[in-house]
């Protein structure tokens, strides 16, 4: 939410503090297992925003997210979109 109010640094701080825990949790192809769930689609949207805010640095800091992003964007229907 902070980024919508022009507070980029606040958003960067939240991303820096919260992402390590999320990445540590990621053990499967998707957030909750080997099949995508509704939370994956919400997270993908947030991930796209975080990559934009961090100017791509998020993928450098957390390479696990690169494969997750590929898993999601390769889904039939989403891939074509």
């Amino acid at each position: 939410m902070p980024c919508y109010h022009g507070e980029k640094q606040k958003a960067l701080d939240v991303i820096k503090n919260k992402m390590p825990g999320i990445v540590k949790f990621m053990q499967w192809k998707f957030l909750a297992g080997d099949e995508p769930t509704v939370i994956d689609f919400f997270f993908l949207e947030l991930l796209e925003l975080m990559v934009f805010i961090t100017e791509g640095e998020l993928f450098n800091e957390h390479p696990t997210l690169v494969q997750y992003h590929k898993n999601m964007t390769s889904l039939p229907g989403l891939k074509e979109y």
Side-chain angles (χ1 to χ4, degrees), residues 4-51:
Y4 293 117
H5 300 288
E7 299 178 32
K8 183 176 178 178
Q9 189 56 52
K10 187 173 180 181
L12 289 170
D13 293 343
V14 170
I15 292 167
K16 183 179 180 180
N17 291 328
K18 300 295 181 181
M19 283 311 296
I22 293 170
V23 170
K24 184 178 178 182
F25 172 80
M26 297 175 80
Q27 302 174 33
W28 306 280
K29 187 174 180 180
F30 300 101
L31 289 177
D34 291 327
E35 298 295 325
T37 63
V38 69
I39 195 67
D40 287 294
F41 294 96
F42 286 113
F43 186 68
L44 178 62
E45 184 176 350
L46 287 173
L47 181 58
E48 295 271 330
L49 178 61
M50 290 185 287
V51 169

Side-chain angles (χ1 to χ4, degrees), residues 29 59 62-73:
K29 187 174 180 180
F59 282 156
H62 302 286
T64 304
L65 294 174
V66 175
Q67 185 59 51
Y68 173 81
H69 188 266
K70 286 179 185 176
N71 294 343
M72 285 299 294
T73 57

